[in-house]
Amino acid sequence: DAGVIQSPRHEVTEMGQEVTLRCKPISGHNSLFWYRQTMMRGLELLIYFNNNVPIDDSGMPEDRFSAKMPNASFSTLKIQPSEPRDSAVYFCASLRGGSYNEQFFGPGTRLTVL
Amino acid sequence: QQQVKQSPQSLIVQKGGIPIINCAYENTAFDYFPWYQQFPGKGPALLIAIRPDVSEKKEGRFTISFNKSAKQFSLHIMDSQPGDSATYFCAASITGAQKLVFGQGTRLTINP
């Protein structure tokens, strides 16, 4: 299995631009998580989906952030407009139902907003 | 009450030493406590996990000690090696709830 796939791996953009991060979960996993990691705040859960349905988006920082999961094999996290404080590493993770909560993380997308 | 508090933030140990990382929680409904290991440039990966029906679990050189009454658990690494240098996260969850609550992380450095 290829594991969780994220793209792009690195993104540099200017303040005010739209940014879209992409994630392909492991085949057969039915839960998907988006996290943000910074030195100051550690690993924060932004949103998670179960069977493509958003279950908890309480970690989404503000309306500039949105996430979608149109099917079981693809999810996006969009930031519009981006701000310098959004600079972080964004991770996607997936979990197979009944697997006792082991989440498999992707390699992350390092986002820099200038 | 959903927080997991982790300490220390950073730790430096000589090769062969036994680093210990501690975590504390408040929510007594938590019943699954994993540790994740993260190398630079990589995503976190599950290292070892424990449920509160046991007080200790060992996997190779890694041991979790669990104190249910104190609501604390810790990770010990025996005979530590430079290759163990990484960031370690403790976490907690409730069975059936996919969401994990992570600690702040500990950056561990093992000097040769």
mmCIF file of all heavy atoms in Angstrom, chain A residues 9 31 33 35 37 39-41 45 48 50 56 91 95 100-103 105-107, chain B residues 32 36 38 41-44 46 51 89 93-100 102 104 107:
data_model
loop_
_atom_site.group_PDB
_atom_site.id
_atom_site.type_symbol
_atom_site.label_atom_id
_atom_site.label_comp_id
_atom_site.label_asym_id
_atom_site.label_seq_id
_atom_site.Cartn_x
_atom_site.Cartn_y
_atom_site.Cartn_z
ATOM 1 N N ARG A 9 3.932 18.741 -1.656
ATOM 2 C CA ARG A 9 4.734 18.566 -0.446
ATOM 3 C C ARG A 9 5.183 19.909 0.111
ATOM 4 O O ARG A 9 5.360 20.055 1.313
ATOM 5 C CB ARG A 9 5.964 17.688 -0.743
ATOM 6 C CG ARG A 9 5.629 16.244 -1.111
ATOM 7 C CD ARG A 9 4.997 15.488 0.077
ATOM 8 N NE ARG A 9 5.737 15.676 1.310
ATOM 9 C CZ ARG A 9 6.801 14.979 1.654
ATOM 10 N NH1 ARG A 9 7.239 14.033 0.861
ATOM 11 N NH2 ARG A 9 7.425 15.232 2.804
ATOM 12 N N SER A 31 -12.164 6.945 7.688
ATOM 13 C CA SER A 31 -12.095 8.213 8.411
ATOM 14 C C SER A 31 -10.854 8.982 7.963
ATOM 15 O O SER A 31 -9.796 8.386 7.733
ATOM 16 C CB SER A 31 -12.012 7.988 9.925
ATOM 17 O OG SER A 31 -13.198 7.393 10.399
ATOM 18 N N PHE A 33 -8.582 12.745 8.570
ATOM 19 C CA PHE A 33 -8.319 13.834 9.495
ATOM 20 C C PHE A 33 -7.383 14.841 8.837
ATOM 21 O O PHE A 33 -6.426 14.452 8.164
ATOM 22 C CB PHE A 33 -7.650 13.307 10.777
ATOM 23 C CG PHE A 33 -8.395 12.202 11.459
ATOM 24 C CD1 PHE A 33 -8.349 10.902 10.976
ATOM 25 C CD2 PHE A 33 -9.162 12.461 12.581
ATOM 26 C CE1 PHE A 33 -9.047 9.876 11.604
ATOM 27 C CE2 PHE A 33 -9.856 11.441 13.219
ATOM 28 C CZ PHE A 33 -9.803 10.158 12.727
ATOM 29 N N TYR A 35 -4.767 17.879 10.075
ATOM 30 C CA TYR A 35 -4.081 18.485 11.204
ATOM 31 C C TYR A 35 -3.192 19.621 10.713
ATOM 32 O O TYR A 35 -2.724 19.633 9.578
ATOM 33 C CB TYR A 35 -3.159 17.467 11.899
ATOM 34 C CG TYR A 35 -3.837 16.350 12.646
ATOM 35 C CD1 TYR A 35 -4.172 15.165 12.002
ATOM 36 C CD2 TYR A 35 -4.126 16.462 13.997
ATOM 37 C CE1 TYR A 35 -4.771 14.121 12.704
ATOM 38 C CE2 TYR A 35 -4.716 15.420 14.703
ATOM 39 C CZ TYR A 35 -5.032 14.255 14.029
ATOM 40 O OH TYR A 35 -5.633 13.241 14.728
ATOM 41 N N GLN A 37 0.409 21.582 12.100
ATOM 42 C CA GLN A 37 1.487 21.510 13.084
ATOM 43 C C GLN A 37 2.352 22.759 13.009
ATOM 44 O O GLN A 37 2.861 23.122 11.955
ATOM 45 C CB GLN A 37 2.371 20.273 12.860
ATOM 46 C CG GLN A 37 3.436 20.091 13.932
ATOM 47 C CD GLN A 37 4.240 18.807 13.768
ATOM 48 O OE1 GLN A 37 4.463 18.314 12.661
ATOM 49 N NE2 GLN A 37 4.656 18.236 14.882
ATOM 50 N N MET A 39 5.316 25.118 15.652
ATOM 51 C CA MET A 39 6.154 25.039 16.853
ATOM 52 C C MET A 39 5.369 25.529 18.062
ATOM 53 O O MET A 39 5.462 24.958 19.156
ATOM 54 C CB MET A 39 7.422 25.859 16.666
ATOM 55 C CG MET A 39 8.410 25.260 15.697
ATOM 56 S SD MET A 39 9.088 23.716 16.298
ATOM 57 C CE MET A 39 10.040 24.308 17.685
ATOM 58 N N MET A 40 4.605 26.607 17.861
ATOM 59 C CA MET A 40 3.922 27.223 19.005
ATOM 60 C C MET A 40 2.734 26.394 19.496
ATOM 61 O O MET A 40 2.515 26.283 20.708
ATOM 62 C CB MET A 40 3.437 28.620 18.608
ATOM 63 C CG MET A 40 4.545 29.633 18.392
ATOM 64 S SD MET A 40 5.488 29.891 19.897
ATOM 65 C CE MET A 40 4.245 30.612 20.965
ATOM 66 N N ARG A 41 1.971 25.817 18.571
ATOM 67 C CA ARG A 41 0.708 25.194 18.951
ATOM 68 C C ARG A 41 0.715 23.677 18.856
ATOM 69 O O ARG A 41 -0.290 23.024 19.189
ATOM 70 C CB ARG A 41 -0.409 25.780 18.098
ATOM 71 C CG ARG A 41 -0.573 27.297 18.260
ATOM 72 C CD ARG A 41 -1.617 27.831 17.294
ATOM 73 N NE ARG A 41 -2.950 27.372 17.650
ATOM 74 C CZ ARG A 41 -3.775 28.010 18.477
ATOM 75 N NH1 ARG A 41 -3.402 29.132 19.025
ATOM 76 N NH2 ARG A 41 -4.964 27.516 18.730
ATOM 77 N N LEU A 45 -5.886 19.316 15.556
ATOM 78 C CA LEU A 45 -6.876 18.724 14.661
ATOM 79 C C LEU A 45 -7.760 19.839 14.114
ATOM 80 O O LEU A 45 -8.349 20.600 14.880
ATOM 81 C CB LEU A 45 -7.724 17.704 15.407
ATOM 82 C CG LEU A 45 -8.862 17.080 14.603
ATOM 83 C CD1 LEU A 45 -8.325 16.223 13.461
ATOM 84 C CD2 LEU A 45 -9.755 16.243 15.514
ATOM 85 N N TYR A 48 -12.372 16.415 10.898
ATOM 86 C CA TYR A 48 -12.299 15.041 10.446
ATOM 87 C C TYR A 48 -13.614 14.582 9.843
ATOM 88 O O TYR A 48 -14.687 15.098 10.184
ATOM 89 C CB TYR A 48 -11.770 14.090 11.518
ATOM 90 C CG TYR A 48 -12.736 13.615 12.576
ATOM 91 C CD1 TYR A 48 -13.428 12.413 12.437
ATOM 92 C CD2 TYR A 48 -12.902 14.330 13.745
ATOM 93 C CE1 TYR A 48 -14.268 11.955 13.431
ATOM 94 C CE2 TYR A 48 -13.737 13.879 14.749
ATOM 95 C CZ TYR A 48 -14.414 12.692 14.590
ATOM 96 O OH TYR A 48 -15.238 12.242 15.587
ATOM 97 N N ASN A 50 -15.970 11.124 8.534
ATOM 98 C CA ASN A 50 -16.237 9.703 8.648
ATOM 99 C C ASN A 50 -17.165 9.329 7.499
ATOM 100 O O ASN A 50 -18.243 9.934 7.357
ATOM 101 C CB ASN A 50 -16.864 9.369 9.993
ATOM 102 C CG ASN A 50 -16.891 7.877 10.261
ATOM 103 O OD1 ASN A 50 -15.974 7.150 9.890
ATOM 104 N ND2 ASN A 50 -17.937 7.414 10.916
ATOM 105 N N ASP A 56 -16.540 16.656 12.794
ATOM 106 C CA ASP A 56 -16.123 17.645 13.783
ATOM 107 C C ASP A 56 -15.207 18.646 13.096
ATOM 108 O O ASP A 56 -14.109 18.295 12.698
ATOM 109 C CB ASP A 56 -15.397 16.955 14.941
ATOM 110 C CG ASP A 56 -15.002 17.917 16.057
ATOM 111 O OD1 ASP A 56 -15.109 19.142 15.876
ATOM 112 O OD2 ASP A 56 -14.566 17.425 17.118
ATOM 113 N N PHE A 91 -0.974 18.126 7.899
ATOM 114 C CA PHE A 91 -0.985 16.675 7.744
ATOM 115 C C PHE A 91 -2.393 16.166 7.518
ATOM 116 O O PHE A 91 -3.357 16.676 8.087
ATOM 117 C CB PHE A 91 -0.435 15.987 9.006
ATOM 118 C CG PHE A 91 1.039 16.143 9.200
ATOM 119 C CD1 PHE A 91 1.536 17.041 10.127
ATOM 120 C CD2 PHE A 91 1.932 15.377 8.472
ATOM 121 C CE1 PHE A 91 2.896 17.195 10.314
ATOM 122 C CE2 PHE A 91 3.297 15.513 8.648
ATOM 123 C CZ PHE A 91 3.772 16.430 9.573
ATOM 124 N N LEU A 95 -7.825 6.477 8.894
ATOM 125 C CA LEU A 95 -8.042 5.433 9.880
ATOM 126 C C LEU A 95 -9.071 4.447 9.326
ATOM 127 O O LEU A 95 -10.064 4.857 8.726
ATOM 128 C CB LEU A 95 -8.552 6.079 11.168
ATOM 129 C CG LEU A 95 -8.966 5.243 12.358
ATOM 130 C CD1 LEU A 95 -8.723 6.062 13.636
ATOM 131 C CD2 LEU A 95 -10.431 4.871 12.311
ATOM 132 N N TYR A 100 -9.182 0.377 16.141
ATOM 133 C CA TYR A 100 -8.722 0.863 17.430
ATOM 134 C C TYR A 100 -7.904 2.137 17.347
ATOM 135 O O TYR A 100 -6.904 2.266 18.005
ATOM 136 C CB TYR A 100 -7.938 -0.202 18.180
ATOM 137 C CG TYR A 100 -8.657 -0.618 19.432
ATOM 138 C CD1 TYR A 100 -8.608 -1.923 19.888
ATOM 139 C CD2 TYR A 100 -9.414 0.285 20.137
ATOM 140 C CE1 TYR A 100 -9.309 -2.303 21.011
ATOM 141 C CE2 TYR A 100 -10.106 -0.077 21.263
ATOM 142 C CZ TYR A 100 -10.045 -1.377 21.695
ATOM 143 O OH TYR A 100 -10.731 -1.751 22.799
ATOM 144 N N ASN A 101 -8.386 3.020 16.527
ATOM 145 C CA ASN A 101 -7.904 4.404 16.548
ATOM 146 C C ASN A 101 -6.508 4.623 16.012
ATOM 147 O O ASN A 101 -5.961 5.687 16.208
ATOM 148 C CB ASN A 101 -7.975 4.993 17.969
ATOM 149 C CG ASN A 101 -9.386 5.056 18.497
ATOM 150 O OD1 ASN A 101 -10.176 4.154 18.224
ATOM 151 N ND2 ASN A 101 -9.709 6.079 19.242
ATOM 152 N N GLU A 102 -5.851 3.642 15.354
ATOM 153 C CA GLU A 102 -4.537 3.914 14.799
ATOM 154 C C GLU A 102 -4.699 4.766 13.560
ATOM 155 O O GLU A 102 -5.242 4.316 12.540
ATOM 156 C CB GLU A 102 -3.766 2.646 14.442
ATOM 157 C CG GLU A 102 -2.390 2.984 13.834
ATOM 158 C CD GLU A 102 -1.541 1.779 13.541
ATOM 159 O OE1 GLU A 102 -1.971 0.651 13.811
ATOM 160 O OE2 GLU A 102 -0.420 1.997 13.015
ATOM 161 N N GLN A 103 -4.208 5.976 13.637
ATOM 162 C CA GLN A 103 -4.246 6.878 12.505
ATOM 163 C C GLN A 103 -2.923 6.786 11.742
ATOM 164 O O GLN A 103 -1.857 6.792 12.345
ATOM 165 C CB GLN A 103 -4.480 8.315 12.973
ATOM 166 C CG GLN A 103 -5.845 8.515 13.626
ATOM 167 C CD GLN A 103 -6.098 9.962 13.993
ATOM 168 O OE1 GLN A 103 -5.416 10.863 13.517
ATOM 169 N NE2 GLN A 103 -7.087 10.183 14.845
ATOM 170 N N PHE A 105 -0.563 8.710 9.172
ATOM 171 C CA PHE A 105 -0.339 10.058 8.702
ATOM 172 C C PHE A 105 0.371 10.072 7.354
ATOM 173 O O PHE A 105 1.217 9.213 7.070
ATOM 174 C CB PHE A 105 0.524 10.832 9.703
ATOM 175 C CG PHE A 105 -0.209 11.307 10.919
ATOM 176 C CD1 PHE A 105 -0.579 10.430 11.927
ATOM 177 C CD2 PHE A 105 -0.545 12.643 11.067
ATOM 178 C CE1 PHE A 105 -1.264 10.868 13.049
ATOM 179 C CE2 PHE A 105 -1.226 13.094 12.191
ATOM 180 C CZ PHE A 105 -1.599 12.211 13.175
ATOM 181 N N GLY A 106 0.036 11.090 6.565
ATOM 182 C CA GLY A 106 0.785 11.355 5.346
ATOM 183 C C GLY A 106 2.062 12.108 5.652
ATOM 184 O O GLY A 106 2.332 12.424 6.814
ATOM 185 N N PRO A 107 2.847 12.419 4.618
ATOM 186 C CA PRO A 107 4.127 13.093 4.814
ATOM 187 C C PRO A 107 4.000 14.584 5.090
ATOM 188 O O PRO A 107 4.978 15.227 5.467
ATOM 189 C CB PRO A 107 4.853 12.850 3.493
ATOM 190 C CG PRO A 107 3.747 12.728 2.497
ATOM 191 C CD PRO A 107 2.619 12.052 3.217
ATOM 192 N N TYR B 32 -7.836 4.814 25.687
ATOM 193 C CA TYR B 32 -6.835 4.363 24.716
ATOM 194 C C TYR B 32 -5.758 5.424 24.678
ATOM 195 O O TYR B 32 -6.060 6.622 24.497
ATOM 196 C CB TYR B 32 -7.489 4.194 23.334
ATOM 197 C CG TYR B 32 -6.530 3.880 22.207
ATOM 198 C CD1 TYR B 32 -5.922 2.642 22.113
ATOM 199 C CD2 TYR B 32 -6.259 4.828 21.225
ATOM 200 C CE1 TYR B 32 -5.058 2.351 21.077
ATOM 201 C CE2 TYR B 32 -5.394 4.550 20.182
ATOM 202 C CZ TYR B 32 -4.789 3.301 20.109
ATOM 203 O OH TYR B 32 -3.946 3.024 19.075
ATOM 204 N N TYR B 36 3.001 8.446 19.546
ATOM 205 C CA TYR B 36 3.409 8.580 18.156
ATOM 206 C C TYR B 36 4.840 9.119 18.107
ATOM 207 O O TYR B 36 5.246 9.939 18.946
ATOM 208 C CB TYR B 36 2.466 9.519 17.400
ATOM 209 C CG TYR B 36 1.179 8.851 16.954
ATOM 210 C CD1 TYR B 36 0.165 8.544 17.862
ATOM 211 C CD2 TYR B 36 0.988 8.514 15.620
ATOM 212 C CE1 TYR B 36 -0.998 7.921 17.446
ATOM 213 C CE2 TYR B 36 -0.187 7.896 15.193
ATOM 214 C CZ TYR B 36 -1.169 7.610 16.110
ATOM 215 O OH TYR B 36 -2.331 6.987 15.688
ATOM 216 N N GLN B 38 7.704 10.962 15.565
ATOM 217 C CA GLN B 38 7.801 11.742 14.338
ATOM 218 C C GLN B 38 9.255 12.124 14.067
ATOM 219 O O GLN B 38 9.884 12.803 14.889
ATOM 220 C CB GLN B 38 6.951 13.015 14.420
ATOM 221 C CG GLN B 38 6.970 13.841 13.143
ATOM 222 C CD GLN B 38 6.170 15.125 13.253
ATOM 223 O OE1 GLN B 38 6.001 15.666 14.345
ATOM 224 N NE2 GLN B 38 5.662 15.617 12.126
ATOM 225 N N GLY B 41 10.653 15.955 8.891
ATOM 226 C CA GLY B 41 10.188 15.852 7.517
ATOM 227 C C GLY B 41 9.192 14.744 7.265
ATOM 228 O O GLY B 41 8.800 14.512 6.112
ATOM 229 N N LYS B 42 8.778 14.055 8.314
ATOM 230 C CA LYS B 42 7.826 12.936 8.171
ATOM 231 C C LYS B 42 6.589 13.194 9.004
ATOM 232 O O LYS B 42 6.581 14.045 9.888
ATOM 233 C CB LYS B 42 8.475 11.623 8.639
ATOM 234 C CG LYS B 42 9.792 11.296 7.989
ATOM 235 C CD LYS B 42 9.605 10.883 6.550
ATOM 236 C CE LYS B 42 10.927 10.414 5.949
ATOM 237 N NZ LYS B 42 10.796 10.082 4.514
ATOM 238 N N GLY B 43 5.542 12.436 8.711
ATOM 239 C CA GLY B 43 4.360 12.485 9.546
ATOM 240 C C GLY B 43 4.534 11.611 10.774
ATOM 241 O O GLY B 43 5.355 10.685 10.794
ATOM 242 N N PRO B 44 3.776 11.877 11.835
ATOM 243 C CA PRO B 44 3.839 11.004 13.017
ATOM 244 C C PRO B 44 3.424 9.582 12.662
ATOM 245 O O PRO B 44 2.600 9.367 11.764
ATOM 246 C CB PRO B 44 2.827 11.648 13.969
ATOM 247 C CG PRO B 44 2.661 13.064 13.490
ATOM 248 C CD PRO B 44 2.843 12.997 12.004
ATOM 249 N N LEU B 46 2.450 5.669 14.608
ATOM 250 C CA LEU B 46 2.170 4.990 15.872
ATOM 251 C C LEU B 46 3.364 4.159 16.316
ATOM 252 O O LEU B 46 3.912 3.367 15.548
ATOM 253 C CB LEU B 46 0.947 4.091 15.718
ATOM 254 C CG LEU B 46 0.548 3.317 16.972
ATOM 255 C CD1 LEU B 46 0.088 4.271 18.066
ATOM 256 C CD2 LEU B 46 -0.566 2.311 16.646
ATOM 257 N N ARG B 51 -3.981 0.325 26.893
ATOM 258 C CA ARG B 51 -5.330 0.530 27.400
ATOM 259 C C ARG B 51 -5.257 0.453 28.915
ATOM 260 O O ARG B 51 -4.350 -0.175 29.470
ATOM 261 C CB ARG B 51 -6.266 -0.537 26.832
ATOM 262 C CG ARG B 51 -6.275 -0.518 25.313
ATOM 263 C CD ARG B 51 -7.369 -1.369 24.750
ATOM 264 N NE ARG B 51 -8.681 -0.825 24.995
ATOM 265 C CZ ARG B 51 -9.200 0.213 24.342
ATOM 266 N NH1 ARG B 51 -8.507 0.806 23.412
ATOM 267 N NH2 ARG B 51 -10.417 0.616 24.606
ATOM 268 N N PHE B 89 4.898 12.198 20.625
ATOM 269 C CA PHE B 89 3.607 12.729 21.053
ATOM 270 C C PHE B 89 2.836 11.650 21.814
ATOM 271 O O PHE B 89 2.697 10.532 21.322
ATOM 272 C CB PHE B 89 2.751 13.127 19.843
ATOM 273 C CG PHE B 89 3.268 14.288 19.059
ATOM 274 C CD1 PHE B 89 4.091 14.088 17.961
ATOM 275 C CD2 PHE B 89 2.918 15.584 19.398
ATOM 276 C CE1 PHE B 89 4.568 15.157 17.220
ATOM 277 C CE2 PHE B 89 3.384 16.656 18.660
ATOM 278 C CZ PHE B 89 4.212 16.444 17.570
ATOM 279 N N SER B 93 -7.729 8.873 23.695
ATOM 280 C CA SER B 93 -8.963 8.761 22.928
ATOM 281 C C SER B 93 -9.975 7.947 23.713
ATOM 282 O O SER B 93 -9.647 7.313 24.718
ATOM 283 C CB SER B 93 -8.674 8.102 21.586
ATOM 284 O OG SER B 93 -9.830 8.022 20.795
ATOM 285 N N ILE B 94 -11.197 7.975 23.214
ATOM 286 C CA ILE B 94 -12.274 7.168 23.771
ATOM 287 C C ILE B 94 -12.653 6.125 22.732
ATOM 288 O O ILE B 94 -12.810 6.458 21.553
ATOM 289 C CB ILE B 94 -13.496 8.049 24.109
ATOM 290 C CG1 ILE B 94 -13.114 9.110 25.131
ATOM 291 C CG2 ILE B 94 -14.658 7.197 24.605
ATOM 292 C CD1 ILE B 94 -14.178 10.174 25.343
ATOM 293 N N THR B 95 -12.777 4.876 23.144
ATOM 294 C CA THR B 95 -13.138 3.807 22.218
ATOM 295 C C THR B 95 -14.399 4.166 21.458
ATOM 296 O O THR B 95 -15.404 4.575 22.049
ATOM 297 C CB THR B 95 -13.362 2.494 22.981
ATOM 298 O OG1 THR B 95 -12.152 2.148 23.646
ATOM 299 C CG2 THR B 95 -13.740 1.373 22.021
ATOM 300 N N GLY B 96 -14.332 4.019 20.125
ATOM 301 C CA GLY B 96 -15.470 4.339 19.288
ATOM 302 C C GLY B 96 -15.440 5.759 18.751
ATOM 303 O O GLY B 96 -16.111 6.065 17.771
ATOM 304 N N ALA B 97 -14.664 6.613 19.387
ATOM 305 C CA ALA B 97 -14.490 7.984 18.900
ATOM 306 C C ALA B 97 -13.159 8.039 18.177
ATOM 307 O O ALA B 97 -12.123 7.853 18.783
ATOM 308 C CB ALA B 97 -14.514 8.972 20.057
ATOM 309 N N GLN B 98 -13.180 8.325 16.881
ATOM 310 C CA GLN B 98 -11.945 8.268 16.116
ATOM 311 C C GLN B 98 -10.948 9.353 16.500
ATOM 312 O O GLN B 98 -9.756 9.233 16.271
ATOM 313 C CB GLN B 98 -12.243 8.367 14.615
ATOM 314 C CG GLN B 98 -13.063 7.222 14.077
ATOM 315 C CD GLN B 98 -14.525 7.555 13.998
ATOM 316 O OE1 GLN B 98 -14.975 8.489 14.641
ATOM 317 N NE2 GLN B 98 -15.270 6.796 13.223
ATOM 318 N N LYS B 99 -11.447 10.404 17.093
ATOM 319 C CA LYS B 99 -10.615 11.579 17.366
ATOM 320 C C LYS B 99 -9.589 11.294 18.451
ATOM 321 O O LYS B 99 -9.901 10.722 19.491
ATOM 322 C CB LYS B 99 -11.549 12.703 17.807
ATOM 323 C CG LYS B 99 -10.923 14.035 18.082
ATOM 324 C CD LYS B 99 -12.053 15.039 18.371
ATOM 325 C CE LYS B 99 -11.521 16.348 18.887
ATOM 326 N NZ LYS B 99 -12.617 17.317 19.098
ATOM 327 N N LEU B 100 -8.337 11.709 18.197
ATOM 328 C CA LEU B 100 -7.265 11.633 19.186
ATOM 329 C C LEU B 100 -6.986 13.028 19.726
ATOM 330 O O LEU B 100 -6.965 13.996 18.972
ATOM 331 C CB LEU B 100 -5.981 11.090 18.559
ATOM 332 C CG LEU B 100 -5.909 9.602 18.220
ATOM 333 C CD1 LEU B 100 -4.660 9.300 17.410
ATOM 334 C CD2 LEU B 100 -5.906 8.770 19.491
ATOM 335 N N PHE B 102 -3.976 15.055 21.248
ATOM 336 C CA PHE B 102 -2.521 14.933 21.327
ATOM 337 C C PHE B 102 -1.932 15.853 22.394
ATOM 338 O O PHE B 102 -2.426 16.962 22.632
ATOM 339 C CB PHE B 102 -1.884 15.301 19.985
ATOM 340 C CG PHE B 102 -1.956 14.210 18.950
ATOM 341 C CD1 PHE B 102 -3.008 14.150 18.056
ATOM 342 C CD2 PHE B 102 -0.974 13.240 18.886
ATOM 343 C CE1 PHE B 102 -3.074 13.136 17.100
ATOM 344 C CE2 PHE B 102 -1.025 12.228 17.945
ATOM 345 C CZ PHE B 102 -2.093 12.177 17.045
ATOM 346 N N GLN B 104 1.537 18.096 23.589
ATOM 347 C CA GLN B 104 2.270 19.121 22.857
ATOM 348 C C GLN B 104 3.525 18.593 22.162
ATOM 349 O O GLN B 104 4.104 19.290 21.332
ATOM 350 C CB GLN B 104 2.665 20.262 23.793
ATOM 351 C CG GLN B 104 1.504 21.185 24.120
ATOM 352 C CD GLN B 104 1.049 21.957 22.894
ATOM 353 O OE1 GLN B 104 0.117 21.560 22.195
ATOM 354 N NE2 GLN B 104 1.698 23.063 22.594
ATOM 355 N N ARG B 107 10.629 16.949 22.031
ATOM 356 C CA ARG B 107 11.730 16.757 21.092
ATOM 357 C C ARG B 107 12.876 16.064 21.822
ATOM 358 O O ARG B 107 13.485 16.642 22.725
ATOM 359 C CB ARG B 107 12.196 18.092 20.514
ATOM 360 C CG ARG B 107 13.371 17.949 19.564
ATOM 361 C CD ARG B 107 13.705 19.244 18.876
ATOM 362 N NE ARG B 107 12.688 19.598 17.897
ATOM 363 C CZ ARG B 107 12.782 20.643 17.067
ATOM 364 N NH1 ARG B 107 13.838 21.421 17.122
ATOM 365 N NH2 ARG B 107 11.842 20.904 16.218
#
